[in-house]
Amino acid sequence: MNIEHLLNKGYFPKELPPSFFTDLFGNDYINISDVANSTENNFLQTLLATVDTMTALSNTEKAEERVRIKQVFKNRLNFSDCSQYNIPKNGLARKGIKIPNPIHQGKLSKSIIDNYPEIIKLFNDSNLSTTKPQLETELEQGKRSVKHNDFRFFKESGIINSFKYAVQLKTDIAKFYPSIYTHCVPWVTFGGKEKYKKNRALNRGDALKVSSIYGDDIDNRLMWCQNQQTMGIPIGPDTSFIIAEIIACHLDNDLEKKLKSKKIDFLGYRYYDDYALYFNSELDAQIGLSELKKTLNNFELKINNEKTEISRTQCELEKPWALAIKSFYFRPSKHDQKDDIWNYFSISFKYAQENPKDSVLKLALNKFNFVRIEEENWNYFESLLFRLGLIETSCLHMIAKLLITYEKLVSKKRLKEFCYEIIKRNHENQHDFELTWSLWILNEFKIQPTKKIYEMIFHSKSITSIIVGLDLYQQNNKIKSFDFSSVIELITTENLNNKEWLLVYEAVYKNWISSLNKSIIREHFFFNILESRNIYFYDNLRKLEPLKVQRSYFKKIEVKLKQINNYISNNKFSNIKLKKELIELSEYLNLSDMTQAIDRIEIQKKLSESNSKIKELIDRIEEIKSGLMKVDMKKPYLVVGKRLEELSELTIKEIEAEVKQNKGLLFNPTYI
């Protein structure tokens, strides 16, 4: 992994629309850093020289002004606040995502990259972690700089390997990222809290003292990202995931050592901050919980009591609502699909109401990544989709993906009403996620908001939604004048180091408000460099990639079977037995029955058995052909053999399509 990769794919949070990006910054960061290091002193001297032109000041006042300028310059390089971006969680709860300032996110990323070979060794300390960071090599949209095993791996590992253990302990760390004490980083990178503190207590001249500890550097740069705050790390960037995993792997190792010292046999897995531990008895599980609490307490962390339970391992493996949603089958016929859409949304809304703490509707919406909505059913589906979006706003990014996929079918009238309603419900509480995605969707579909909607956005103080709103306003040709004063008051050089930094930079750089002066950027040492190198962080040309949802292959299979039947009816076959088996295959693969079926297991069985029979027939045909000498005698078998190969390809694709209706539907919850 290199600095470009980490900053390109791992900087901005994944919950932002695709128009927010960091590729330009990441690709040029090494040059930006070199320019900053080489011109820092010259820039400061130029600022100080301006004091001499202030003729109204006395010499004493000029000296004070120089001190002030030096301090401001130093502070801008050493301290910054993150932009805020809150997203909805289950119920009324929200999670605060952070977007660190590029001045310090770049420095933090470089520190991690410079020491990554040593960091990787720390991940190996844990035998419990299923979320050890791995370099992401895939480039498609949505991929991060690092990846890890998914939630399915975590869950299935426990199910498969815990069969001999009678008791399960499930728990997680309460508010993990917000509770991490940044000084923990040097503790764990140096081999533990006690070892680190003993080293720190040694005199500077002591030969045993280690003076350069890379964890200290990461700790300092973390604090720079958060205005010197030591409690918590920013949720969002991959740097935080890497740092959190360093700490969690150390905790895993510490817990394992303690339980082994007590001769307790156990099996354990951790996914982010979620633990699944398996024991032989409830007493062992209680001891395990006690030791985990002690381990966490040593690092200023605590167990989430509400999510802690000790139970027998034969308890339910999946919740009933999840089983119902995952097993629901959408029939391929257009008419049946309409009924299935209604039934599916009905059970989804029902289970969501009964399980308000679970992400029922998110899981339900995942299904449509693999189920193609027919054009005749779109209006029906769209209305239910918007109804779901108003109930579960955390699905907006998923809804946006579906809307982009079926762009030509979308009703702009209904879409506008939907987005307006989201904005009206969320602007007063500054719900960034809802406001930003609603505006982004309007922008994508070239729908101009009303003046009232713009006023809601610009008064909301939601940084990301204001950025999208300002961009959208540039396309306006109906509103003749607008009062931007609520936005302009946020656009100051000082705020380039505060939570408004992204708005300040983009608004000035893009010249979205004509009264703003470029000096707002140029008076700031670091952002002046970014502007001079044409770096920006928002581009409305960057789009969501549509889903690639394929239609069912049933019709094509049906056509291929008819071709085979017609051919064997109209041509002579010397092998009567083979002809009979081909007819039997066609009757067994009865598609008119299958389109009405609602049992996926039955369909999978029929497809799988048919494909096995098709392959068997293909082999038989090859044997028959090899025994025939004349070309005209071989021809019927050549034709039928080719048709069977094509039929086999189609049945395999349909089997894969069936599997995809389940694939990825083991919902990956957010634990942080």
Side-chain angles (χ1 to χ4, degrees):
M1 185 162 60
N2 56 42
I3 190 72
E4 291 88 351
H5 189 65
L6 185 55
L7 287 173
N8 283 0
K9 300 295 184 182
Y11 180 0
F12 276 11
K14 63 183 182 297
E15 293 84 359
L16 281 170
S19 49
F20 292 89
F21 76 119
T22 56
D23 299 47
L24 298 177
F25 178 66
N27 291 338
D28 200 29
Y29 181 74
I30 293 174
N31 294 325
I32 292 168
S33 182
D34 289 343
V35 171
N37 291 333
S38 63
T39 62
E40 180 181 328
N41 188 59
N42 289 341
F43 194 91
L44 175 58
Q45 295 307 315
T46 301
L47 287 177
L48 293 174
T50 61
V51 177
D52 293 330
T53 65
M54 300 176 183
T55 55
L57 300 182
S58 66
N59 289 337
T60 301
E61 289 171 331
K62 286 181 179 180
E64 291 174 350
E65 180 63 13
R66 289 190 186 93
V67 170
R68 189 192 70 80
I69 288 174
K70 283 183 180 179
Q71 191 60 52
V72 168
F73 186 81
K74 179 182 177 182
N75 289 346
R76 287 176 180 172
L77 292 180
N78 290 340
F79 314 107
S80 65
D81 272 333
C82 302
S83 278
Q84 308 293 316
Y85 182 72
N86 62 73
I87 65 174
K89 293 176 69 176
N90 298 332
L92 299 176
R94 299 192 73 82
K95 181 169 72 173
I97 302 292
K98 293 186 177 181
I99 310 172
N101 197 294
I103 307 172
H104 300 120
Q105 183 61 23
K107 291 180 177 180
L108 173 61
S109 299
K110 187 174 188 309
S111 184
I112 287 175
I113 291 297
D114 289 347
N115 297 287
Y116 207 64
E118 293 300 314
I119 289 172
I120 290 174
K121 295 176 185 176
L122 300 176
F123 298 147
N124 295 329
D125 287 343
S126 172
N127 293 316
L128 277 63
S129 176
T130 63
T131 45
K132 295 177 183 179
Q134 307 160 37
L135 178 66
E136 177 59 86
T137 55
E138 295 183 27
L139 300 177
E140 64 256 35
Q141 190 177 63
K143 296 296 181 182
R144 303 291 294 179
S145 62
V146 288
K147 62 181 178 180
H148 58 73
N149 290 315
D150 60 15
F151 184 67
R152 181 182 294 274
F153 177 84
F154 164 71
K155 189 161 188 176
E156 289 182 353
S157 296
I159 293 170
I160 293 168
N161 299 314
S162 67
F163 62 90
K164 70 172 185 175
Y165 295 93
V167 177
Q168 178 186 36
L169 165 62
K170 291 175 65 178
T171 189
D172 70 15
I173 305 171
K175 299 180 180 178
F176 185 34
Y177 278 32
S179 299
I180 289 176
Y181 186 44
T182 65
H183 294 339
C184 290
V185 179
W187 298 350
V188 299
T189 57
F190 195 65
K193 184 177 181 180
E194 296 307 317
K195 183 180 177 182
Y196 176 83
K197 290 193 172 182
K198 284 179 182 178
N199 180 75
R200 191 177 64 177
L202 295 174
N203 293 325
R204 185 172 296 180
D206 195 313
L208 296 176
K209 186 178 180 70
V210 179
S211 56
S212 179
I213 299 172
Y214 74 85
D216 281 329
D217 189 51
I218 293 175
D219 178 18
N220 288 331
R221 296 180 187 214
L222 258 178
M223 289 191 292
W224 293 349
C225 285
Q226 303 181 108
N227 206 5
Q228 292 297 90
Q229 181 178 314
T230 59
M231 185 54 68
I233 62 176
I235 299 174
D238 284 1
T239 48
S240 293
F241 165 48
I242 291 168
I243 290 165
E245 195 64 22
I246 292 171
I247 295 168
C249 284
H250 183 88
L251 297 173
D252 296 345
N253 188 35
D254 194 30
L255 174 66
E256 191 170 15
K257 285 179 180 177
K258 287 178 178 178
L259 293 180
K260 282 185 177 180
S261 71
K262 293 180 179 292
K263 303 201 181 322
I264 291 179
D265 177 31
F266 84 104
L267 174 73
Y269 297 97
R270 177 180 54 78
Y271 184 85
Y272 286 109
D273 59 346
D274 187 80
Y275 281 94
L277 305 173
Y278 303 89
F279 300 89
N280 289 317
S281 69
E282 188 170 331
L283 177 60
D284 284 354
Q286 291 287 0
I287 294 171
L289 178 59
S290 176
E291 292 301 328
L292 180 56
K293 285 181 177 179
K294 291 176 186 176
T295 297
L296 295 177
N297 188 57
N298 198 34
F299 286 82
E300 316 290 337
L301 298 167
K302 296 185 182 302
I303 285 288
N304 185 337
N305 291 320
E306 289 185 5
K307 293 186 178 180
T308 301
E309 66 173 319
I310 294 174
S311 60
R312 308 300 291 183
T313 55
Q314 62 264 37
C315 291
E316 66 178 31
L317 301 177
E318 191 68 276
K319 294 184 178 181
W321 64 262
L323 288 172
I325 286 174
K326 289 196 294 180
S327 62
F328 191 95
Y329 176 63
F330 281 87
R331 293 168 291 178
S333 84
K334 298 174 185 178
H335 176 74
D336 291 331
Q337 188 189 73
K338 185 176 182 180
D339 291 338
D340 292 342
I341 288 170
W342 172 257
N343 292 334
Y344 183 69
F345 275 94
S346 294
I347 67 168
S348 298
F349 290 142
K350 172 181 175 289
Y351 282 120
Q353 191 172 19
E354 293 173 355
N355 303 272
K357 292 185 178 180
D358 292 322
S359 299
V360 176
L361 296 181
K362 261 190 177 177
L363 177 63
L365 211 51
N366 272 353
K367 183 81 108 179
F368 300 107
N369 290 353
F370 312 106
V371 174
R372 185 182 188 276
I373 304 301
E374 299 297 337
E375 183 174 352
E376 293 85 343
N377 299 327
W378 173 257
N379 286 341
Y380 194 67
F381 173 79
E382 183 183 70
S383 293
L384 291 168
L385 182 69
F386 289 155
R387 185 189 298 263
L388 184 150
L390 290 170
I391 295 171
E392 185 60 82
T393 57
S394 63
C395 294
L396 272 178
H397 61 304
M398 302 166 74
I399 291 172
K401 187 93 166 173
L402 286 166
L403 294 172
I404 293 300
T405 302
Y406 297 93
E407 183 177 2
K408 293 180 179 178
L409 304 180
V410 173
S411 162
K412 287 193 175 184
K413 180 179 182 297
R414 278 202 295 264
L415 177 62
K416 180 171 69 173
E417 292 172 352
F418 169 69
C419 291
Y420 282 11
E421 188 61 31
I422 293 285
I423 292 168
K424 289 173 184 176
R425 293 184 186 188
N426 291 279
H427 74 99
E428 288 185 353
N429 294 316
Q430 193 190 317
H431 287 169
D432 300 308
F433 181 86
E434 291 88 337
L435 298 177
T436 304
W437 276 101
S438 297
L439 274 180
W440 184 86
I441 292 169
L442 290 174
N443 204 348
E444 285 299 293
F445 284 85
K446 308 295 185 219
I447 299 173
Q448 263 298 319
T450 63
K451 189 172 185 178
K452 184 66 176 175
I453 293 294
Y454 278 122
E455 288 172 350
M456 291 177 186
I457 294 297
F458 295 144
H459 284 90
S460 71
K461 307 298 184 186
S462 169
I463 299 304
T464 51
S465 65
I466 292 173
I467 288 172
V468 182
L470 287 172
D471 176 46
L472 185 54
Y473 185 82
Q474 302 310 302
Q475 305 161 39
N476 163 66
N477 55 13
K478 293 182 179 179
I479 305 172
K480 301 305 179 185
S481 63
F482 194 87
D483 179 9
F484 290 103
S485 58
S486 61
V487 177
I488 291 172
E489 66 183 20
L490 302 174
I491 314 286
T492 66
T493 301
E494 193 60 35
N495 279 346
L496 283 168
N497 272 73
N498 295 326
K499 63 182 181 180
E500 298 86 4
W501 74 264
L502 185 57
L503 170 61
V504 176
Y505 183 73
E506 289 299 312
V508 176
Y509 181 89
K510 302 282 177 50
N511 196 30
W512 281 331
I513 302 175
S514 58
S515 61
L516 296 176
N517 196 303
K518 284 288 178 78
S519 64
I520 292 171
I521 289 177
R522 291 169 184 167
E523 288 174 4
H524 191 290
F525 169 63
F526 188 81
F527 283 96
N528 177 57
I529 295 172
L530 297 189
E531 193 231 4
S532 69
R533 301 186 70 82
N534 294 317
I535 306 298
Y536 50 92
F537 301 94
Y538 177 87
D539 181 0
N540 65 13
L541 296 179
R542 296 172 66 90
K543 309 295 184 183
L544 267 180
E545 292 176 359
L547 294 165
K548 297 175 181 177
V549 186
Q550 294 177 314
R551 188 189 296 271
S552 168
Y553 292 92
F554 277 12
K555 282 290 182 185
K556 290 184 178 180
I557 291 173
E558 190 175 22
V559 169
K560 196 60 59 181
L561 281 169
K562 284 181 179 178
Q563 288 177 350
I564 293 170
N565 283 336
N566 290 338
Y567 191 85
I568 61 177
S569 297
N570 299 325
N571 293 273
K572 292 183 178 180
F573 265 67
S574 58
N575 192 310
I576 304 300
K577 184 180 178 183
L578 176 65
K579 183 175 181 179
K580 182 181 177 183
E581 288 183 73
L582 286 168
I583 294 170
E584 288 174 352
L585 170 68
S586 180
E587 291 173 350
Y588 180 71
L589 203 53
N590 191 322
L591 293 170
S592 59
D593 289 347
M594 289 173 69
T595 56
Q596 300 300 315
I598 58 173
D599 185 346
R600 180 182 283 109
I601 296 174
E602 176 194 339
I603 295 171
Q604 285 281 16
K605 179 184 176 185
K606 191 169 268 195
L607 287 167
S608 181
E609 289 178 353
S610 297
N611 194 49
S612 297
K613 184 63 177 177
I614 292 167
K615 289 178 178 177
E616 181 186 319
L617 290 171
I618 290 172
D619 291 340
R620 292 260 306 286
I621 286 172
E622 287 300 314
E623 290 177 13
I624 294 169
K625 282 195 306 184
S626 64
L628 298 172
M629 300 299 293
K630 294 182 179 180
V631 175
D632 58 340
M633 294 180 70
K634 286 186 178 184
K635 183 181 176 182
Y637 299 98
L638 283 167
V639 173
V640 173
K642 180 64 176 175
R643 294 284 185 269
L644 285 172
E645 287 174 3
E646 293 167 349
L647 182 61
S648 178
E649 289 179 10
L650 291 170
T651 54
I652 288 171
K653 286 181 178 179
E654 184 60 34
I655 290 169
E656 290 173 350
E658 292 289 320
V659 171
K660 282 181 180 178
Q661 280 207 39
N662 251 353
K663 185 180 178 183
L665 290 181
L666 187 57
F667 182 64
N668 177 352
T670 301
Y671 289 95
I672 298 163

